[in-house]
Structure formats: structure tokens, C-alpha cells
Amino acid sequence: MSQRRVLRVGIDVGGTFTDLVAVESWSGERLTRKVASTPAEPHRAVVDALAALLDGYGDAPAVEFLAHSTTIATNALLGQLGLELPRVALVTTRGFRDVIEIGRQNRSEVYNLFVERPRPLVAREDRIVVAERVDHRGKVLVALERGEIARACGELAARGIAAVAICLLHSYVNDAHERALAEAIATALPRARVARSSEIDPQYREYERCSTTVVNAALAPIVEGYLERLIEELRARGVASPLYVMRSDGGMAAATHALARPAALVESGPASGAIAAAALGRATGARRVLSFDMGGTTAKAGAILDGIPQVAGEFEAAGRTHSGRAVKGSGYPVRFPFVDLAEVSAGGGTIAWIDDAGSLRVGPISAGAQPGPACYGISDRATVTDANVVLGRLNPHHLLGGTFPIDAARARRSIEELARRLEMGLEATAAGIVRIVDDAMARVLRIVTVERGLDPRDFTLVAFGGGGPLHACALAGELGVARVAIPAHPGLFSASGLLEADLRHNELAAIMRGAADLDGDRIEEHFAAGERRASAGLAAQGADPATIAFRREYDARYRGQSFELTIAHDRSPQRVAQNFHDAHRARYGYDVVDAAVEIVNARLTAFARTRASTRAPSTVILSGVEGRGGGRPPARRDVWIEDSFVEVAVFERASLGSGTSIAGPAVVEAYDSTTYVAPGWSLSVEEELCVLERSAT
């Protein structure tokens, strides 16, 4: 009697496609599926992808681990897909009612006198104040009376509030008043979601703490509803395993625990690709890796140093970007660690158009999953994918191994309209679209390297997503990168990252003391207590106790500075100060050794693997190229190179064995992506990894 198969599954929901990667826990065999995303019902694509996997078995395998990345939180804040934010109330200290709207002096458009700030998530009439006051040391100056609590609860009950954010002054050092309010509100409004700032974001800076708490409160009903629907449908399909969700910081959380901080899911989708790239870098010994993910809607880039993706402590949810940089003041501040990525609207579905000056533009609007590029057979608007079809880089007949037909004639007609208006040739126009989008993507790669003091020539570029391998040579050439790694199944690579991520638990406490005044014993007690709480929290999510590890850190600054650097923890005050001097010098090129160092926060991060993960083989990222043939003869196709068509060899990825070497120009086609080997480059197969390198001159 054969043993029932047991699977670990990762599902990544993208703007155009939803990708699934499954690994058989004992043998390491890998299975992949790719289905169209369903923007109107985002949970539906997850179920469809899983059904496409399980329906192929007579005796359905057991799913012991299911991880998922989602864009539901971002879409809700952007008002997309018909998602409507609930009515949210804010309870705050008297005199601070309008902090959430006043914010900071950041302007998203400095020279626009009529610039509009993001719409407040809490209407002014729903901001309720209470008479109470705590100072910055935690001393109660004005006690919160029972009458005030009762009045606030009465006002909330009369308004039909769905979610309540509580943010009182200095509650990060003394949260007794917030806890009393939260308990009373939960009793008075049992159906409302309650978020208190001392639990969500216990650190100083009133506006950011308030904004973070309000965003969490606003997202809670939507995220909870989405996860409940998804879990219900999974159970109906017989999938009983716990559901895990990727967070913005690259860590995993059980769905039930993720509801405590729904804002931590805002950058869920992009994080999984960076985690996969970091795992590949560790597996191949590449100490410095550039993660480059080009999907159907956007392109994202991030730097990975010594196997660890760079992480930032704050972002603006639903904010805008300009040339890959976040536009300050355009979104809602959220203080939660997130994988630090630069992003630009440059994907396969990005639409090309002509502006009022008669210039060719590409983006930021995308054709998305529906209607998709013109070559998908519905739209008539030219996209980057259509340009690559016209240039011969993409298969003019079909994609996804022959299962997805391509209408090359429609792609040509969409670009012919642009070419006519530009008075240019068809192929020259298509090549212009590709050059423009390449330039935009090269900028985001520079943002995460050159602008942060890193030399891109020291990095290996890991190109993935449906379009990453197609544009990799051009981007590497632009940045001086000599080596490009293309993983097995690059179009499904982000889903692989879901199987590599650790469970993660974060704790933070405000310190606000000079480094010289730190009490080493008290700090040790604080961290030890945090580790006990973190261990319990991870165990409740199915962590393997033997894999739990901790990282202790401080947020520090020179006294008088406005922002902090995160440094390693140490018991010695002198070494803590020296760690900060070293970090400041590395970041800014100088330090001030005689200036006082101030410790703002103590951070604890706990990591663990699930019990299912610890049984899996360690080669998830690099395994799984199917059907390796014996060097099947290549087909040939005309590809536009510089100013004319050149006949080049077209290889099937599955037929290329380890040790194969191909000189460019050439095209390598796989089920989920196409690699373009440009002139002057060569491709070699190292195990299951494809490597692009500059040819010797």
C-alpha cells in the first residue's frame, strides 16, 4: 500500500497571475501551477490554484502546510476592487483630536499650492476625546475617570462604529488608560474591532503611532473577512492545515495571529520574492544579491547582504512612488518592519501611450489580469508584453507551455497605432517601449544600491517573475553587473519564497535613555521576558521549539537627532555607544565620538520554523526543473536585434542539462518565463540554475 503524499504549498497572488509551488515534504519533489488572478474575488484565485494542483490526483495528497501572500490590505487602502473601508473611530487624549489629520509637514508635491493630503481614515466627528494625561515618563497627571470611559463608550455605540483605534498620549510608557478603555469598549461594542496603540506600536512620535493604529483598525474587518472566506473554502476542499500569511517584514504568521496586526500584511506580496532570492543567495554562496522581480504589473528591486534582505522600520501604506522612490506625505504612515524594496510600475502588462507632447511613454497604468495585454486577445492597447512579442523575444503563438494562446497579429496592430502617430517603424516603436521600461527598472536597481552606498558591480542579480529573465541582460549591462542568476521556475519564484520564510514574532519597548544610563541587568530582564512571550507566541503558531532563535537590537541616535539607526544589542553601555558610532560612520561617512548616544527603543525579533518546514529538504529553491531532456535540437526564430531581425536559436529550458552553455543571441523558453540571452552574453546551466554572464571580449 503506497504512502499518501504530503505537501507543503506556497501561493503568491499577483496582479495578473496567481502562482503555486508545492513540495512533497519527504522526497522534495516539486509541483507548480499558474492560474489567472481574480481581482474581484481575490481569495478565489488561491482556491483555484490549489484545486488545479489537487484535482490531478485520484487519491488527493494531504496538505500539511499552506502559506499565502496577499494584496488585500493594499487594495483596501487604495479603494480598489470595490473594497470599502469600514467606519472607524479614534479615541484619543483631549487636545489631540486632530493629530491624525495634521500629521507632519511632509508635502507629496512641494511646489503645488493645492496639493491634497491623503483622505483621513477617521472622520472628524468620529474622533472622540477623553480627559486623561500621562507624561513622557509614564506618570499619571490626569486620571481617566469611569465617567469618561462610559461617555466614550456611549458615543461609540450611537455611531454604528465597526472598528475603534485607541491612541492616548504617552501610552507607550504607561498604557493603563488604554487598557481600561479597550476593555470597556470591547464590552460595550462586542462586534467592533479594537486596536490600541500600546499594543500595535508602543513607541514615541504621536502621529506615526496614531496613524499605525488607525490603519490597523481600518483593515481589521476587511482582512478578517477575507481570511475567513478563504479558510472556509479551503476547509470545503478538505484542506485542514493551518493557513499562514506572509508579512511585510518577510516573516510568516498564522492567519489567526496575523489579524492582531493586519497592517503588517500591506507589503505581503513583494516580501516573498526577496525571501526566495535571499535563500538562493545562501544556497549558492553569493554574499551580495540584487533581487529583481518583474511581474505583470510592477517591477521590484531589493538588496540582500550576507543572506539577509534589507529591512526598514516604516513605510507609507497606499502611498505613491516616483521613479521608484516612495513619495513622502502621499500615504498613511505605518511603523512595522518591511523588506526594503524599490518599486516601479513596469511589468509585462504596463501600457505604452503617447502624451500630449507626442512622446512615447510607458506606464504607470497596467492592463492587469483583465483585459491583459493586447496579445491575450481582448484589449487593443499596447503593453510591454506586446512589444516583446513583436520583437520576437516572446513566443508569437503561445505561452505557459502551449496552454495560453498568443495573438501576435493583435499585438502588432496595437503597436502599429503608436508607430503611426510617432511616424516610426513598427519594430523601432516596440524596441523603444522596451528601452523605456528597461530604463525605469534600472533606476530602481540603482536606488537600492548606488543611492545607499553599495556598488552594484559587487552583486549577483537574481532575475525572476514572468518578465525578469527577459530583461535581465539589459539591466545587468546598464548597472555593470557581470553575473545574473535565473532560478528554476522564475515565474513562480516568489511562491517558493513562501516555503522558505520563517515564522516571526516582534517585540518592541520604548527606552528613551542615554546609552551611558542603561541598566544592563534591567535590560537583560526585559529581553528575557520578551523571549518567553515570543516563544509562547511562536509555539501557538506551530513552531518547532528546537528552531526558535532571537535577535536583540536597539534603535539609537545622537541626542538631538530626529531619526534612529538600528544597531546590535550589547550589555556594555560603552560597546552600545561604539556600535552606534560604527553604524553611523558606515551609513553617513562620519561619526561624532564625543556626542551622547541615546537609546530610543529595544527590539526583539524571534524566528522559528514550523514543524512541517523542518522535515522538508533544504533545496526547495533550486530543485524541480522538469523533464530534463538530452539536448533537444533548438528551434529558430527571428528576433529584432538593434535595427534588424536576426535568426536565433530557441531552446526549451527543460531540455538543457547541467553543464550546457549557450552563446547569445538566443532565447530559452520555459513554462513560466522566457530568458533572452542578448548578444555579448552567454547562458550556462549550473545544476538547476541558469547563469547569465558577459562573454569574454
Side-chain angles (χ1 to χ4, degrees), residues 87-118:
R87 186 174 181 181
V88 181
L90 170 66
V91 180
T92 189
T93 303
R94 180 170 293 166
F96 292 83
R97 178 183 187 185
D98 296 319
V99 163
I100 189 65
E101 189 164 358
I102 295 171
R104 300 289 179 189
Q105 65 180 359
N106 293 333
R107 293 168 59 90
S108 58
E109 299 175 59
V110 177
Y111 301 107
N112 182 357
L113 297 178
F114 305 100
V115 63
E116 293 186 9
R117 299 176 66 88

PDB file of all heavy atoms in Angstrom, residues 87-118:
ATOM      1  N   ARG A  87     -16.366  52.112   8.852  1.00  0.00           N
ATOM      2  CA  ARG A  87     -16.384  53.340   9.639  1.00  0.00           C
ATOM      3  C   ARG A  87     -15.536  53.124  10.883  1.00  0.00           C
ATOM      4  O   ARG A  87     -15.788  52.216  11.672  1.00  0.00           O
ATOM      5  CB  ARG A  87     -17.808  53.712  10.020  1.00  0.00           C
ATOM      6  CG  ARG A  87     -17.915  55.063  10.722  1.00  0.00           C
ATOM      7  CD  ARG A  87     -19.365  55.447  10.953  1.00  0.00           C
ATOM      8  NE  ARG A  87     -19.457  56.762  11.597  1.00  0.00           N
ATOM      9  CZ  ARG A  87     -20.597  57.352  11.931  1.00  0.00           C
ATOM     10  NH1 ARG A  87     -21.759  56.726  11.681  1.00  0.00           N
ATOM     11  NH2 ARG A  87     -20.594  58.549  12.514  1.00  0.00           N
ATOM     12  N   VAL A  88     -14.512  53.957  11.021  1.00  0.00           N
ATOM     13  CA  VAL A  88     -13.539  53.811  12.104  1.00  0.00           C
ATOM     14  C   VAL A  88     -13.648  55.006  13.034  1.00  0.00           C
ATOM     15  O   VAL A  88     -13.816  56.144  12.589  1.00  0.00           O
ATOM     16  CB  VAL A  88     -12.101  53.709  11.545  1.00  0.00           C
ATOM     17  CG1 VAL A  88     -11.098  53.532  12.677  1.00  0.00           C
ATOM     18  CG2 VAL A  88     -12.002  52.564  10.552  1.00  0.00           C
ATOM     19  N   ALA A  89     -13.530  54.762  14.322  1.00  0.00           N
ATOM     20  CA  ALA A  89     -13.489  55.831  15.315  1.00  0.00           C
ATOM     21  C   ALA A  89     -12.110  55.858  15.970  1.00  0.00           C
ATOM     22  O   ALA A  89     -11.421  54.834  16.043  1.00  0.00           O
ATOM     23  CB  ALA A  89     -14.555  55.626  16.377  1.00  0.00           C
ATOM     24  N   LEU A  90     -11.726  57.023  16.424  1.00  0.00           N
ATOM     25  CA  LEU A  90     -10.466  57.208  17.144  1.00  0.00           C
ATOM     26  C   LEU A  90     -10.777  57.773  18.524  1.00  0.00           C
ATOM     27  O   LEU A  90     -11.475  58.783  18.646  1.00  0.00           O
ATOM     28  CB  LEU A  90      -9.547  58.158  16.376  1.00  0.00           C
ATOM     29  CG  LEU A  90      -8.297  58.635  17.121  1.00  0.00           C
ATOM     30  CD1 LEU A  90      -7.339  57.466  17.384  1.00  0.00           C
ATOM     31  CD2 LEU A  90      -7.575  59.734  16.322  1.00  0.00           C
ATOM     32  N   VAL A  91     -10.262  57.130  19.553  1.00  0.00           N
ATOM     33  CA  VAL A  91     -10.371  57.645  20.916  1.00  0.00           C
ATOM     34  C   VAL A  91      -8.986  58.120  21.325  1.00  0.00           C
ATOM     35  O   VAL A  91      -8.015  57.338  21.317  1.00  0.00           O
ATOM     36  CB  VAL A  91     -10.876  56.567  21.893  1.00  0.00           C
ATOM     37  CG1 VAL A  91     -10.981  57.139  23.305  1.00  0.00           C
ATOM     38  CG2 VAL A  91     -12.223  56.025  21.437  1.00  0.00           C
ATOM     39  N   THR A  92      -8.877  59.393  21.682  1.00  0.00           N
ATOM     40  CA  THR A  92      -7.568  59.956  21.980  1.00  0.00           C
ATOM     41  C   THR A  92      -7.653  60.959  23.122  1.00  0.00           C
ATOM     42  O   THR A  92      -8.742  61.292  23.606  1.00  0.00           O
ATOM     43  CB  THR A  92      -6.980  60.629  20.718  1.00  0.00           C
ATOM     44  OG1 THR A  92      -5.617  60.994  20.949  1.00  0.00           O
ATOM     45  CG2 THR A  92      -7.773  61.864  20.322  1.00  0.00           C
ATOM     46  N   THR A  93      -6.507  61.428  23.557  1.00  0.00           N
ATOM     47  CA  THR A  93      -6.421  62.381  24.664  1.00  0.00           C
ATOM     48  C   THR A  93      -6.986  63.739  24.245  1.00  0.00           C
ATOM     49  O   THR A  93      -6.753  64.196  23.122  1.00  0.00           O
ATOM     50  CB  THR A  93      -4.953  62.535  25.100  1.00  0.00           C
ATOM     51  OG1 THR A  93      -4.439  61.251  25.452  1.00  0.00           O
ATOM     52  CG2 THR A  93      -4.827  63.474  26.285  1.00  0.00           C
ATOM     53  N   ARG A  94      -7.735  64.370  25.144  1.00  0.00           N
ATOM     54  CA  ARG A  94      -8.284  65.700  24.860  1.00  0.00           C
ATOM     55  C   ARG A  94      -7.162  66.660  24.461  1.00  0.00           C
ATOM     56  O   ARG A  94      -6.113  66.719  25.091  1.00  0.00           O
ATOM     57  CB  ARG A  94      -9.028  66.234  26.081  1.00  0.00           C
ATOM     58  CG  ARG A  94      -9.639  67.637  25.889  1.00  0.00           C
ATOM     59  CD  ARG A  94     -10.557  67.983  27.034  1.00  0.00           C
ATOM     60  NE  ARG A  94     -11.741  67.100  27.025  1.00  0.00           N
ATOM     61  CZ  ARG A  94     -12.587  66.984  28.046  1.00  0.00           C
ATOM     62  NH1 ARG A  94     -12.370  67.672  29.173  1.00  0.00           N
ATOM     63  NH2 ARG A  94     -13.628  66.181  27.962  1.00  0.00           N
ATOM     64  N   GLY A  95      -7.403  67.378  23.374  1.00  0.00           N
ATOM     65  CA  GLY A  95      -6.404  68.292  22.845  1.00  0.00           C
ATOM     66  C   GLY A  95      -5.617  67.714  21.689  1.00  0.00           C
ATOM     67  O   GLY A  95      -4.863  68.439  21.031  1.00  0.00           O
ATOM     68  N   PHE A  96      -5.794  66.420  21.423  1.00  0.00           N
ATOM     69  CA  PHE A  96      -5.023  65.763  20.366  1.00  0.00           C
ATOM     70  C   PHE A  96      -5.936  65.137  19.308  1.00  0.00           C
ATOM     71  O   PHE A  96      -5.545  64.233  18.590  1.00  0.00           O
ATOM     72  CB  PHE A  96      -4.100  64.699  20.970  1.00  0.00           C
ATOM     73  CG  PHE A  96      -3.005  65.284  21.800  1.00  0.00           C
ATOM     74  CD1 PHE A  96      -3.231  65.636  23.128  1.00  0.00           C
ATOM     75  CD2 PHE A  96      -1.763  65.533  21.257  1.00  0.00           C
ATOM     76  CE1 PHE A  96      -2.231  66.202  23.899  1.00  0.00           C
ATOM     77  CE2 PHE A  96      -0.755  66.102  22.011  1.00  0.00           C
ATOM     78  CZ  PHE A  96      -0.983  66.440  23.341  1.00  0.00           C
ATOM     79  N   ARG A  97      -7.135  65.667  19.203  1.00  0.00           N
ATOM     80  CA  ARG A  97      -8.137  65.122  18.294  1.00  0.00           C
ATOM     81  C   ARG A  97      -7.675  65.137  16.833  1.00  0.00           C
ATOM     82  O   ARG A  97      -7.988  64.222  16.065  1.00  0.00           O
ATOM     83  CB  ARG A  97      -9.420  65.951  18.445  1.00  0.00           C
ATOM     84  CG  ARG A  97     -10.554  65.559  17.534  1.00  0.00           C
ATOM     85  CD  ARG A  97     -11.724  66.518  17.736  1.00  0.00           C
ATOM     86  NE  ARG A  97     -12.912  66.106  17.017  1.00  0.00           N
ATOM     87  CZ  ARG A  97     -14.027  66.821  16.959  1.00  0.00           C
ATOM     88  NH1 ARG A  97     -14.100  67.975  17.612  1.00  0.00           N
ATOM     89  NH2 ARG A  97     -15.069  66.390  16.275  1.00  0.00           N
ATOM     90  N   ASP A  98      -6.955  66.164  16.440  1.00  0.00           N
ATOM     91  CA  ASP A  98      -6.635  66.346  15.027  1.00  0.00           C
ATOM     92  C   ASP A  98      -5.212  65.957  14.657  1.00  0.00           C
ATOM     93  O   ASP A  98      -4.758  66.240  13.542  1.00  0.00           O
ATOM     94  CB  ASP A  98      -6.890  67.806  14.623  1.00  0.00           C
ATOM     95  CG  ASP A  98      -8.360  68.177  14.736  1.00  0.00           C
ATOM     96  OD1 ASP A  98      -9.199  67.334  14.362  1.00  0.00           O
ATOM     97  OD2 ASP A  98      -8.667  69.289  15.200  1.00  0.00           O
ATOM     98  N   VAL A  99      -4.499  65.309  15.564  1.00  0.00           N
ATOM     99  CA  VAL A  99      -3.144  64.851  15.244  1.00  0.00           C
ATOM    100  C   VAL A  99      -3.149  63.987  13.992  1.00  0.00           C
ATOM    101  O   VAL A  99      -2.285  64.096  13.128  1.00  0.00           O
ATOM    102  CB  VAL A  99      -2.544  64.072  16.438  1.00  0.00           C
ATOM    103  CG1 VAL A  99      -1.341  63.243  16.002  1.00  0.00           C
ATOM    104  CG2 VAL A  99      -2.138  65.038  17.541  1.00  0.00           C
ATOM    105  N   ILE A 100      -4.141  63.109  13.863  1.00  0.00           N
ATOM    106  CA  ILE A 100      -4.205  62.181  12.742  1.00  0.00           C
ATOM    107  C   ILE A 100      -4.343  62.911  11.410  1.00  0.00           C
ATOM    108  O   ILE A 100      -3.946  62.393  10.355  1.00  0.00           O
ATOM    109  CB  ILE A 100      -5.374  61.180  12.937  1.00  0.00           C
ATOM    110  CG1 ILE A 100      -5.315  60.062  11.893  1.00  0.00           C
ATOM    111  CG2 ILE A 100      -6.709  61.884  12.885  1.00  0.00           C
ATOM    112  CD1 ILE A 100      -4.127  59.178  12.010  1.00  0.00           C
ATOM    113  N   GLU A 101      -4.896  64.128  11.428  1.00  0.00           N
ATOM    114  CA  GLU A 101      -5.075  64.882  10.189  1.00  0.00           C
ATOM    115  C   GLU A 101      -3.974  65.913   9.980  1.00  0.00           C
ATOM    116  O   GLU A 101      -3.567  66.167   8.843  1.00  0.00           O
ATOM    117  CB  GLU A 101      -6.445  65.580  10.195  1.00  0.00           C
ATOM    118  CG  GLU A 101      -6.806  66.206   8.861  1.00  0.00           C
ATOM    119  CD  GLU A 101      -8.287  66.533   8.770  1.00  0.00           C
ATOM    120  OE1 GLU A 101      -9.030  66.231   9.723  1.00  0.00           O
ATOM    121  OE2 GLU A 101      -8.702  67.081   7.728  1.00  0.00           O
ATOM    122  N   ILE A 102      -3.467  66.493  11.054  1.00  0.00           N
ATOM    123  CA  ILE A 102      -2.381  67.479  10.923  1.00  0.00           C
ATOM    124  C   ILE A 102      -1.120  66.803  10.425  1.00  0.00           C
ATOM    125  O   ILE A 102      -0.439  67.280   9.516  1.00  0.00           O
ATOM    126  CB  ILE A 102      -2.131  68.183  12.270  1.00  0.00           C
ATOM    127  CG1 ILE A 102      -3.352  69.000  12.671  1.00  0.00           C
ATOM    128  CG2 ILE A 102      -0.887  69.067  12.191  1.00  0.00           C
ATOM    129  CD1 ILE A 102      -3.294  69.556  14.083  1.00  0.00           C
ATOM    130  N   GLY A 103      -0.785  65.667  11.022  1.00  0.00           N
ATOM    131  CA  GLY A 103       0.362  64.885  10.571  1.00  0.00           C
ATOM    132  C   GLY A 103       1.670  65.634  10.660  1.00  0.00           C
ATOM    133  O   GLY A 103       1.918  66.410  11.590  1.00  0.00           O
ATOM    134  N   ARG A 104       2.528  65.407   9.663  1.00  0.00           N
ATOM    135  CA  ARG A 104       3.816  66.096   9.570  1.00  0.00           C
ATOM    136  C   ARG A 104       3.762  67.138   8.464  1.00  0.00           C
ATOM    137  O   ARG A 104       2.786  67.219   7.713  1.00  0.00           O
ATOM    138  CB  ARG A 104       4.931  65.088   9.277  1.00  0.00           C
ATOM    139  CG  ARG A 104       5.100  64.014  10.337  1.00  0.00           C
ATOM    140  CD  ARG A 104       5.691  64.573  11.609  1.00  0.00           C
ATOM    141  NE  ARG A 104       5.835  63.540  12.633  1.00  0.00           N
ATOM    142  CZ  ARG A 104       6.155  63.787  13.894  1.00  0.00           C
ATOM    143  NH1 ARG A 104       6.364  65.026  14.297  1.00  0.00           N
ATOM    144  NH2 ARG A 104       6.266  62.797  14.753  1.00  0.00           N
ATOM    145  N   GLN A 105       4.837  67.884   8.309  1.00  0.00           N
ATOM    146  CA  GLN A 105       4.859  68.918   7.282  1.00  0.00           C
ATOM    147  C   GLN A 105       5.244  68.378   5.908  1.00  0.00           C
ATOM    148  O   GLN A 105       5.350  69.140   4.948  1.00  0.00           O
ATOM    149  CB  GLN A 105       5.832  70.026   7.678  1.00  0.00           C
ATOM    150  CG  GLN A 105       7.285  69.580   7.744  1.00  0.00           C
ATOM    151  CD  GLN A 105       8.214  70.706   8.147  1.00  0.00           C
ATOM    152  OE1 GLN A 105       7.776  71.838   8.363  1.00  0.00           O
ATOM    153  NE2 GLN A 105       9.490  70.414   8.242  1.00  0.00           N
ATOM    154  N   ASN A 106       5.452  67.062   5.803  1.00  0.00           N
ATOM    155  CA  ASN A 106       5.778  66.484   4.501  1.00  0.00           C
ATOM    156  C   ASN A 106       4.695  66.812   3.478  1.00  0.00           C
ATOM    157  O   ASN A 106       3.504  66.659   3.747  1.00  0.00           O
ATOM    158  CB  ASN A 106       5.908  64.958   4.601  1.00  0.00           C
ATOM    159  CG  ASN A 106       7.087  64.536   5.422  1.00  0.00           C
ATOM    160  OD1 ASN A 106       8.069  65.251   5.519  1.00  0.00           O
ATOM    161  ND2 ASN A 106       7.005  63.360   6.036  1.00  0.00           N
ATOM    162  N   ARG A 107       5.127  67.240   2.306  1.00  0.00           N
ATOM    163  CA  ARG A 107       4.206  67.513   1.198  1.00  0.00           C
ATOM    164  C   ARG A 107       4.586  66.600   0.043  1.00  0.00           C
ATOM    165  O   ARG A 107       5.748  66.563  -0.377  1.00  0.00           O
ATOM    166  CB  ARG A 107       4.289  68.976   0.755  1.00  0.00           C
ATOM    167  CG  ARG A 107       3.796  69.967   1.788  1.00  0.00           C
ATOM    168  CD  ARG A 107       4.175  71.392   1.392  1.00  0.00           C
ATOM    169  NE  ARG A 107       3.632  71.777   0.112  1.00  0.00           N
ATOM    170  CZ  ARG A 107       2.448  72.360  -0.067  1.00  0.00           C
ATOM    171  NH1 ARG A 107       1.688  72.598   0.989  1.00  0.00           N
ATOM    172  NH2 ARG A 107       2.023  72.706  -1.254  1.00  0.00           N
ATOM    173  N   SER A 108       3.604  65.886  -0.479  1.00  0.00           N
ATOM    174  CA  SER A 108       3.893  64.979  -1.580  1.00  0.00           C
ATOM    175  C   SER A 108       4.258  65.725  -2.855  1.00  0.00           C
ATOM    176  O   SER A 108       4.940  65.184  -3.727  1.00  0.00           O
ATOM    177  CB  SER A 108       2.689  64.065  -1.837  1.00  0.00           C
ATOM    178  OG  SER A 108       1.534  64.824  -2.117  1.00  0.00           O
ATOM    179  N   GLU A 109       3.801  66.983  -2.977  1.00  0.00           N
ATOM    180  CA  GLU A 109       4.152  67.828  -4.123  1.00  0.00           C
ATOM    181  C   GLU A 109       4.564  69.191  -3.567  1.00  0.00           C
ATOM    182  O   GLU A 109       3.719  70.022  -3.244  1.00  0.00           O
ATOM    183  CB  GLU A 109       2.972  67.961  -5.081  1.00  0.00           C
ATOM    184  CG  GLU A 109       2.509  66.625  -5.671  1.00  0.00           C
ATOM    185  CD  GLU A 109       1.257  66.789  -6.509  1.00  0.00           C
ATOM    186  OE1 GLU A 109       1.307  67.562  -7.487  1.00  0.00           O
ATOM    187  OE2 GLU A 109       0.246  66.150  -6.179  1.00  0.00           O
ATOM    188  N   VAL A 110       5.862  69.416  -3.481  1.00  0.00           N
ATOM    189  CA  VAL A 110       6.385  70.583  -2.774  1.00  0.00           C
ATOM    190  C   VAL A 110       5.923  71.896  -3.400  1.00  0.00           C
ATOM    191  O   VAL A 110       5.604  72.859  -2.695  1.00  0.00           O
ATOM    192  CB  VAL A 110       7.927  70.521  -2.738  1.00  0.00           C
ATOM    193  CG1 VAL A 110       8.494  71.768  -2.075  1.00  0.00           C
ATOM    194  CG2 VAL A 110       8.388  69.274  -1.995  1.00  0.00           C
ATOM    195  N   TYR A 111       5.841  71.958  -4.731  1.00  0.00           N
ATOM    196  CA  TYR A 111       5.552  73.233  -5.398  1.00  0.00           C
ATOM    197  C   TYR A 111       4.091  73.356  -5.837  1.00  0.00           C
ATOM    198  O   TYR A 111       3.738  74.265  -6.578  1.00  0.00           O
ATOM    199  CB  TYR A 111       6.476  73.398  -6.604  1.00  0.00           C
ATOM    200  CG  TYR A 111       7.932  73.378  -6.201  1.00  0.00           C
ATOM    201  CD1 TYR A 111       8.738  72.287  -6.487  1.00  0.00           C
ATOM    202  CD2 TYR A 111       8.489  74.446  -5.495  1.00  0.00           C
ATOM    203  CE1 TYR A 111      10.071  72.259  -6.096  1.00  0.00           C
ATOM    204  CE2 TYR A 111       9.814  74.422  -5.093  1.00  0.00           C
ATOM    205  CZ  TYR A 111      10.598  73.327  -5.398  1.00  0.00           C
ATOM    206  OH  TYR A 111      11.920  73.306  -5.004  1.00  0.00           O
ATOM    207  N   ASN A 112       3.257  72.439  -5.387  1.00  0.00           N
ATOM    208  CA  ASN A 112       1.836  72.506  -5.714  1.00  0.00           C
ATOM    209  C   ASN A 112       1.089  73.147  -4.555  1.00  0.00           C
ATOM    210  O   ASN A 112       0.956  72.555  -3.489  1.00  0.00           O
ATOM    211  CB  ASN A 112       1.304  71.094  -5.998  1.00  0.00           C
ATOM    212  CG  ASN A 112      -0.165  71.104  -6.390  1.00  0.00           C
ATOM    213  OD1 ASN A 112      -0.819  72.151  -6.411  1.00  0.00           O
ATOM    214  ND2 ASN A 112      -0.687  69.928  -6.704  1.00  0.00           N
ATOM    215  N   LEU A 113       0.580  74.379  -4.755  1.00  0.00           N
ATOM    216  CA  LEU A 113      -0.103  75.092  -3.682  1.00  0.00           C
ATOM    217  C   LEU A 113      -1.429  74.441  -3.316  1.00  0.00           C
ATOM    218  O   LEU A 113      -1.979  74.696  -2.243  1.00  0.00           O
ATOM    219  CB  LEU A 113      -0.343  76.548  -4.085  1.00  0.00           C
ATOM    220  CG  LEU A 113       0.909  77.400  -4.329  1.00  0.00           C
ATOM    221  CD1 LEU A 113       0.512  78.810  -4.759  1.00  0.00           C
ATOM    222  CD2 LEU A 113       1.777  77.457  -3.087  1.00  0.00           C
ATOM    223  N   PHE A 114      -1.946  73.595  -4.196  1.00  0.00           N
ATOM    224  CA  PHE A 114      -3.258  72.997  -3.974  1.00  0.00           C
ATOM    225  C   PHE A 114      -3.151  71.493  -3.755  1.00  0.00           C
ATOM    226  O   PHE A 114      -4.116  70.758  -3.960  1.00  0.00           O
ATOM    227  CB  PHE A 114      -4.165  73.289  -5.171  1.00  0.00           C
ATOM    228  CG  PHE A 114      -4.279  74.758  -5.485  1.00  0.00           C
ATOM    229  CD1 PHE A 114      -3.535  75.310  -6.516  1.00  0.00           C
ATOM    230  CD2 PHE A 114      -5.094  75.588  -4.729  1.00  0.00           C
ATOM    231  CE1 PHE A 114      -3.625  76.665  -6.805  1.00  0.00           C
ATOM    232  CE2 PHE A 114      -5.177  76.936  -5.009  1.00  0.00           C
ATOM    233  CZ  PHE A 114      -4.446  77.490  -6.046  1.00  0.00           C
ATOM    234  N   VAL A 115      -1.990  71.040  -3.318  1.00  0.00           N
ATOM    235  CA  VAL A 115      -1.801  69.614  -3.095  1.00  0.00           C
ATOM    236  C   VAL A 115      -2.787  69.107  -2.050  1.00  0.00           C
ATOM    237  O   VAL A 115      -3.088  69.789  -1.069  1.00  0.00           O
ATOM    238  CB  VAL A 115      -0.344  69.316  -2.659  1.00  0.00           C
ATOM    239  CG1 VAL A 115      -0.016  69.986  -1.326  1.00  0.00           C
ATOM    240  CG2 VAL A 115      -0.096  67.818  -2.562  1.00  0.00           C
ATOM    241  N   GLU A 116      -3.312  67.925  -2.280  1.00  0.00           N
ATOM    242  CA  GLU A 116      -4.256  67.319  -1.355  1.00  0.00           C
ATOM    243  C   GLU A 116      -3.579  66.194  -0.592  1.00  0.00           C
ATOM    244  O   GLU A 116      -2.932  65.335  -1.180  1.00  0.00           O
ATOM    245  CB  GLU A 116      -5.474  66.777  -2.112  1.00  0.00           C
ATOM    246  CG  GLU A 116      -6.323  67.865  -2.743  1.00  0.00           C
ATOM    247  CD  GLU A 116      -7.597  67.311  -3.358  1.00  0.00           C
ATOM    248  OE1 GLU A 116      -7.883  66.117  -3.133  1.00  0.00           O
ATOM    249  OE2 GLU A 116      -8.295  68.062  -4.046  1.00  0.00           O
ATOM    250  N   ARG A 117      -3.736  66.216   0.709  1.00  0.00           N
ATOM    251  CA  ARG A 117      -3.203  65.149   1.536  1.00  0.00           C
ATOM    252  C   ARG A 117      -4.119  63.930   1.436  1.00  0.00           C
ATOM    253  O   ARG A 117      -5.275  64.045   1.029  1.00  0.00           O
ATOM    254  CB  ARG A 117      -3.098  65.616   2.993  1.00  0.00           C
ATOM    255  CG  ARG A 117      -2.169  66.804   3.192  1.00  0.00           C
ATOM    256  CD  ARG A 117      -2.188  67.258   4.636  1.00  0.00           C
ATOM    257  NE  ARG A 117      -1.633  66.251   5.511  1.00  0.00           N
ATOM    258  CZ  ARG A 117      -0.335  66.152   5.809  1.00  0.00           C
ATOM    259  NH1 ARG A 117       0.526  67.002   5.264  1.00  0.00           N
ATOM    260  NH2 ARG A 117       0.100  65.229   6.633  1.00  0.00           N
ATOM    261  N   PRO A 118      -3.612  62.759   1.798  1.00  0.00           N
ATOM    262  CA  PRO A 118      -4.480  61.570   1.781  1.00  0.00           C
ATOM    263  C   PRO A 118      -5.709  61.786   2.668  1.00  0.00           C
ATOM    264  O   PRO A 118      -5.629  62.409   3.724  1.00  0.00           O
ATOM    265  CB  PRO A 118      -3.576  60.467   2.346  1.00  0.00           C
ATOM    266  CG  PRO A 118      -2.184  60.948   2.122  1.00  0.00           C
ATOM    267  CD  PRO A 118      -2.235  62.441   2.220  1.00  0.00           C
TER     268      PRO A 118
END
